[in-house]
Amino acid sequence: MKTVLKSRETTSILIILLTVKMLFTYPRYLIERCLNGAWLSVMVYSILALAIFFVTQLVYLKTGRTTIITQAEAIGGKILRGIVGTLVITLMMINIAPMVRAFPEAIKTVLLQNAEMLVIVAILAIGTSIGAYLGIEALGRVAAIFLPLAAFFILAFFVLLAPHFKVTNLFPFSLFDVSIGNTSSFSLFSDILVLNFLLPYIGDMKTVRRSGILAIVISGITGTLIVLAYCLVYPYPSSARFIVPIYQLARMVKIGTYFQRLESVFEFVWSISIFIYCSLYLYIICDIFRKSFDLTDYKPLILPMLIILLRLVFWEESYTGALRSDFVASNILYPVMYILPLFIGLLYMAKQRRKI
Amino acid sequence: MKKALILAICGVILSGCTRSVEPNDLAYVVAIGIDTADKPELYDFTLQIANPQAISGGSNQEGGEGGKETVSNLTITAPNIYSAVNIANHIYSKNVSLAHTKLIVVCEEIARTEGLAGLGETIARNEEIRPNTYLSVVKKEAKDYLKEIKPTNEVNPVKYYEVIYESEYSGFIPKNPCRDFYIRSLSPESENVLPLSAKVEEKEEIGTQNNEYGGFEYMTEDYIAGNIKTKGDIKTQTLGMAIFKDDKMIAEAGGVETELYNMLTVKYDRSEITYLYKNTPDLAISVAQTQRKRPKLDVDITSDVPKINVGIYLEADLRTVSQNYIIEQEQDNFEQQVTEEVESALLKFLDKTARTYQSDIVGFGSYIKKNFKSYDEFEAYKWQEKYPTAEFNVSVDFHLRRSGLINRKRG
């Protein structure tokens, strides 16, 4: 297949996929479980995710630029290919559902209180569809342009928040909560599975390895900084109460008495990042479905997949209810996203050996 | 496809027009007053609404006394703020918005009897009210205080509240916006304080607030809002602080105590302070004082009685001195005396917070958290119950930096 994603574009895509969670409800989710040690938890699980990716990329080196869908076909024929494809699509939809739900809910709460929810969701759906329709190359380029801007804004916010930091807010924290007691925060980097489906679009394995490692490191640092800033400003238990922590931080930023309400700048970062995130996932989901069921084009799948996704996203009518129901996704499904490329890759390698 | 794309892009771009509200269609509440009502469980909410036309006209046009007022007050009886806003929407000719609310004042009766925990949560939950909105306790009625607000040098009432409640020169009031109030009301590590405001009552015996801190703020009365003797048109005062314990107001402290509180809590920028110099007891030595370094606070909880160590660094410039005594030539002696005065004042104040108020308003509890392995362990320690037995050790590092534009060698 023709190479369509350069190193910078691949890294940008992965960073956006891994960090978008941090811009919404995820820091609160971490603080509910790790309390004041949430920032440390991000650091610990970044290192663990890096270790798992290191092993995964060793498998990729052996299996080449083939996705787990292709590998599943080689192992168990079209039936296994279909099963694995369906499993991956289900996992991905469950993974992005909280994000897709959080964005319109957050926008409705803080920005467009008078707008109909339907209008906000429709705009998100249209934007996402256009992004997915334009394809991975266009999304990669947009991600590469947008990422430095987003990084600048996030860093600027971090610096401007410094006067509000209070080191004592970081205490006390329990090492048990940070590590063993909070394995669910491992889900933060589960989006790295997407890299497996980007393999055919990336030129060589060196780029795959470099982009994966760089994305986990940068996302780990960004995630740690965001949660650290939040913990430094808001001590527990108030830190576990705000639904969108980074918005809460953005509201506090001001430069003198003239430059206030700078959260509008942050809302720009929010909107663009979620559009790229959703578009990427919609494209990947459609592409996996196409490959799993031997279809020629992914574009006709955009609308049906979007409808299924939105149905799943709004399964729980109340957002308060949606915030409560994350147990299955956290503790059972996310580990599968790490294990799947390793497991199928190893099976594929065994099958190849037998053939020889 | 191109047409579909153009339509979709137009849809996204023009979406901002749906349910849009023009700024002129909104009534901006700049301050809210909360008082008890005739019926229990109901409150009198006074919404102080800005008059943008009077503000944009400037003070030279229609603003000010006798002209078009920059604010108007509307009092509504309702169970909570949002019910009051809802009713106001049916009375006022514009939609009432809380997006520019700068001040929420609560009457002392509510603060003492019911507490403000519910108010903190109500404000934090709302996306319109900013986290840096000021909260204040008003002696007597909040509605009377708001009605007497007449910004003299500021046409914009929001700016007026910013100057009063956030000024870096206002050492006599605590800076505790609603974000901090909410955090503190949830946390067992510290108790709350809020600025005290009042409408000046003509008939009251005022101007007699004894300063119990002797040489610190020498010859300055320890005023509380409403008690400063003034003449002129300004009928409102904000000075001193309301002290809380378990979300209820338990005491009030004057401006001098508030200044000491600010020095301990990184909220002190600068102020003009008077000190006793024993060689010139008939004259208060005035200095412009700043706190260049953060206070060093440390709490030792290894024994049953917590031991609290406080280190304060202060710098000052001379303002007024005795004509007959050359202080510039006795800098070390003056610095030593001031150091002793500040140490003694801080010790007395801290002792009062522990023994009299029994409320850790400074927030020493946050410095003991590092000693615990988990939050549950910290909560189980019950810091607020230990605080009244705490022992204090204060050390002050005071330096006279400059003597203004004059430096004398002979009298």
Side-chain angles (χ1 to χ4, degrees):
Chain A
M1 187 175 279
K2 196 181 106 187
T3 303
V4 289
L5 288 176
K6 290 175 190 161
S7 172
R8 192 181 157 197
E9 290 160 1
T10 313
T11 314
S12 303
I13 284 176
L14 291 174
I15 290 172
I16 287 177
L17 290 177
L18 297 178
T19 20
V20 162
K21 276 181 188 162
M22 278 297 172
L23 304 181
F24 290 91
T25 57
Y26 207 78
R28 174 177 171 267
Y29 173 85
L30 288 175
I31 287 164
E32 277 179 342
R33 285 153 182 81
C34 312
L35 284 68
N36 293 325
W39 63 279
L40 208 57
S41 170
V42 179
M43 210 186 271
V44 168
Y45 284 100
S46 304
I47 295 165
L48 202 60
L50 204 60
I52 291 182
F53 177 73
F54 190 76
V55 178
T56 312
Q57 62 87 30
L58 289 177
V59 175
Y60 289 167
L61 280 175
K62 300 280 180 193
T63 57
R65 287 160 56 211
T66 54
T67 66
I68 53 172
I69 305 294
T70 318
Q71 292 167 5
E73 190 181 1
I75 299 161
K78 286 182 180 176
I79 295 172
L80 187 64
R81 186 185 68 186
I83 293 168
V84 171
T86 313
L87 175 68
V88 171
I89 288 170
T90 312
L91 285 175
M92 284 187 169
M93 283 201 175
I94 291 171
N95 184 35
I96 63 166
M99 287 301 100
V100 182
R101 180 68 189 263
F103 175 71
E105 293 287 354
I107 289 290
K108 168 89 180 155
T109 309
V110 304
L111 199 63
L112 304 169
Q113 292 97 342
N114 295 328
E116 291 291 338
M117 190 65 171
L118 190 68
V119 175
I120 302 169
V121 175
I123 292 166
L124 177 66
I126 293 167
T128 303
S129 310
I130 294 171
Y133 184 88
L134 294 173
I136 194 73
E137 194 177 355
L139 288 170
R141 286 181 189 176
V142 173
I145 294 167
F146 170 71
L147 197 69
L149 265 176
F152 171 75
F153 286 134
I154 289 172
L155 275 176
F157 273 107
F158 192 80
V159 172
L160 290 169
L161 278 167
H164 299 284
F165 290 169
K166 202 177 166 196
V167 180
T168 53
N169 288 348
L170 299 179
F171 301 102
F173 61 85
S174 147
L175 285 175
F176 177 80
D177 288 342
V178 167
S179 53
I180 303 148
N182 180 42
T183 46
S184 54
S185 48
F186 198 26
S187 61
L188 176 59
F189 297 97
S190 59
D191 300 77
I192 199 73
L193 172 68
V194 171
L195 181 60
N196 185 278
F197 301 98
L198 295 179
L199 288 174
Y201 305 107
I202 303 169
D204 54 78
M205 292 311 293
K206 200 178 156 192
T207 308
V208 172
R209 181 184 172 167
R210 206 177 67 176
S211 297
I213 291 172
L214 210 58
I216 292 174
V217 170
I218 292 174
S219 306
I221 292 169
T222 312
T224 307
L225 280 179
I226 289 172
V227 182
L228 182 64
Y230 184 55
C231 289
L232 281 166
V233 174
Y234 286 94
Y236 185 83
S238 53
S239 57
R241 295 202 172 189
F242 297 110
I243 290 178
V244 194
I246 199 159
Y247 175 75
Q248 207 62 34
L249 290 179
R251 291 181 88 195
M252 293 176 60
V253 172
K254 63 173 196 168
I255 308 165
T257 50
Y258 290 101
F259 297 101
Q260 297 192 23
R261 299 175 190 252
L262 296 175
E263 66 265 25
S264 50
V265 176
F266 176 73
E267 277 152 9
F268 163 75
V269 176
W270 243 14
S271 308
I272 304 295
S273 58
I274 200 73
F275 271 112
I276 298 173
Y277 180 86
C278 292
S279 301
L280 278 166
Y281 259 109
L282 188 60
Y283 172 81
I284 297 285
I285 286 170
C286 294
D287 199 41
I288 294 170
F289 193 89
R290 178 183 68 83
K291 285 172 181 164
S292 305
F293 299 100
D294 249 348
L295 304 173
T296 50
D297 195 6
Y298 75 95
K299 285 173 185 168
L301 297 169
I302 291 175
L303 191 61
M305 284 297 169
L306 190 68
I307 291 168
I308 295 168
L309 177 65
L310 290 177
R311 184 68 199 92
L312 181 71
V313 165
F314 289 95
W315 191 274
E316 188 80 55
E317 207 173 315
S318 146
Y319 186 49
T320 317
L323 285 171
R324 279 198 306 267
S325 57
D326 58 3
F327 174 76
V328 177
S330 309
N331 293 324
I332 300 166
L333 292 179
Y334 286 127
V336 182
M337 294 182 76
Y338 288 102
I339 295 163
L340 210 60
L342 275 174
F343 181 67
I344 304 228
L346 289 171
L347 283 179
Y348 176 72
M349 281 160 63
K351 181 93 177 176
Q352 294 297 99
R353 263 186 213 163
R354 264 189 220 164
K355 272 187 185 173
I356 296 163
Chain B
M1 186 59 207
K2 273 185 184 172
K3 282 179 187 170
L5 262 177
I6 291 166
L7 267 175
I9 290 165
C10 285
V12 172
I13 293 169
L14 298 174
S15 61
C17 303
T18 57
R19 301 280 184 113
S20 62
V21 182
E22 290 295 324
N24 285 342
D25 296 336
L26 293 171
Y28 294 105
V29 174
V30 290
I32 300 170
I34 308 173
D35 291 302
T36 48
D38 295 338
K39 289 180 183 173
E41 309 302 324
L42 289 181
Y43 303 93
D44 280 347
F45 291 95
T46 303
L47 306 179
Q48 188 173 76
I49 298 166
N51 181 357
Q53 279 146 349
I55 295 167
S56 62
S59 56
N60 293 332
Q61 293 184 23
E62 289 183 278
E65 191 76 32
K68 207 170 179 182
E69 298 290 341
T70 54
V71 289
S72 60
N73 295 297
L74 178 68
T75 301
I76 293 162
T77 305
N80 58 53
I81 291 178
Y82 306 107
S83 300
V85 168
N86 186 34
I87 295 167
N89 277 330
H90 294 83
I91 298 170
Y92 215 72
S93 58
K94 293 178 176 182
N95 283 329
V96 174
S97 165
L98 301 179
H100 288 271
T101 303
K102 207 68 199 171
L103 173 69
I104 297 173
V105 283
V106 186
C107 75
E108 190 178 344
E109 191 187 340
I110 294 175
R112 281 191 188 269
T113 56
E114 298 173 32
L116 303 182
L119 180 69
E121 174 97 18
T122 305
I123 295 168
R125 199 178 281 274
N126 186 280
E127 74 288 342
E128 275 195 325
I129 302 176
R130 309 288 301 170
N132 60 351
T133 302
Y134 314 119
L135 283 176
S136 178
V137 172
V138 173
K139 291 169 77 68
K140 297 190 178 169
E141 299 254 281
K143 58 171 89 76
D144 290 345
Y145 171 77
L146 289 180
K147 278 173 194 164
E148 286 300 330
I149 292 281
K150 289 191 175 60
T152 45
N153 297 321
E154 289 291 344
V155 179
N156 183 348
V158 169
K159 192 80 188 154
Y160 172 77
Y161 290 129
E162 273 178 8
V163 171
I164 294 290
Y165 287 92
E166 208 176 9
S167 168
E168 62 181 277
Y169 301 102
S170 53
F172 284 164
I173 60 166
K175 296 176 184 74
N176 199 21
C178 63
R179 177 194 77 97
D180 292 356
F181 185 84
Y182 180 60
I183 289 173
R184 284 181 165 223
S185 68
L186 289 178
S187 172
E189 65 196 58
S190 55
E191 293 287 359
N192 262 309
V193 295
L194 285 180
L196 264 178
S197 303
K199 175 194 164 191
V200 178
E201 300 286 346
E202 295 288 343
K203 290 175 187 173
E204 272 185 11
E205 281 293 318
I206 60 172
T208 49
Q209 295 291 313
N210 189 34
N211 175 11
E212 59 183 286
Y213 295 95
F216 179 80
E217 287 288 11
Y218 186 53
M219 293 183 176
T220 306
E221 302 285 339
D222 191 8
Y223 287 123
I224 287 177
N227 284 351
I228 310 172
K229 208 176 223 171
T230 56
K231 286 179 182 174
D233 296 334
I234 301 169
K235 300 289 181 199
T236 56
Q237 292 173 358
T238 301
L239 200 109
M241 59 183 176
I243 292 166
F244 285 74
K245 186 173 171 63
D246 299 330
D247 296 318
K248 285 185 182 171
M249 182 179 163
I250 53 159
E252 55 189 36
V256 175
E257 283 192 356
T258 308
E259 198 162 42
L260 292 165
Y261 166 82
N262 283 335
M263 281 183 195
L264 292 161
T265 52
V266 207
K267 287 169 181 171
Y268 179 83
D269 293 310
R270 57 174 295 163
S271 62
E272 305 287 339
I273 289 194
T274 52
Y275 284 111
L276 162 70
Y277 185 47
K278 283 170 186 163
N279 295 340
T280 60
D282 53 333
L283 183 82
I285 306 297
S286 177
V287 295
Q289 187 173 278
T290 54
Q291 192 173 21
R292 294 267 177 242
K293 294 180 187 171
R294 296 167 76 92
K296 285 181 186 164
L297 308 179
D298 178 55
V299 185
D300 178 8
I301 52 163
T302 46
S303 64
D304 283 346
V305 177
K307 290 182 176 57
I308 297 173
N309 296 306
V310 176
I312 299 282
Y313 179 88
L314 296 167
E315 283 185 9
D317 297 349
L318 270 181
R319 288 288 204 223
T320 60
V321 293
S322 167
Q323 289 300 309
N324 305 322
Y325 211 88
I326 307 169
I327 264 186
E328 293 96 316
Q329 301 308 318
E330 294 182 16
Q331 187 171 336
D332 291 346
N333 197 13
F334 178 70
E335 283 178 349
Q336 183 57 36
Q337 279 196 33
V338 169
T339 300
E340 283 166 15
E341 291 295 349
V342 181
E343 278 177 358
S344 146
L346 281 169
L347 264 176
K348 198 170 184 181
F349 170 68
L350 287 171
D351 205 58
K352 198 172 176 183
T353 62
R355 255 58 86 183
T356 311
Y357 303 145
Q358 301 194 342
S359 174
D360 176 18
I361 52 173
V362 176
F364 290 112
S366 60
Y367 295 88
I368 66 163
K369 292 196 294 181
K370 63 183 179 210
N371 299 306
F372 298 94
K373 286 176 185 163
S374 71
Y375 191 79
D376 291 341
E377 223 177 84
F378 166 64
E379 268 191 324
Y381 180 72
K382 296 193 187 302
W383 164 249
Q384 293 298 340
E385 287 176 17
K386 300 273 193 312
Y387 183 67
T389 62
E391 287 174 2
F392 301 96
N393 176 38
V394 177
S395 87
V396 172
D397 193 4
F398 177 87
H399 294 279
L400 194 63
R401 286 289 180 220
R402 285 160 285 270
S403 59
L405 296 176
I406 292 174
N407 194 301
R408 299 175 300 175
K409 284 191 176 171
R410 290 181 188 174

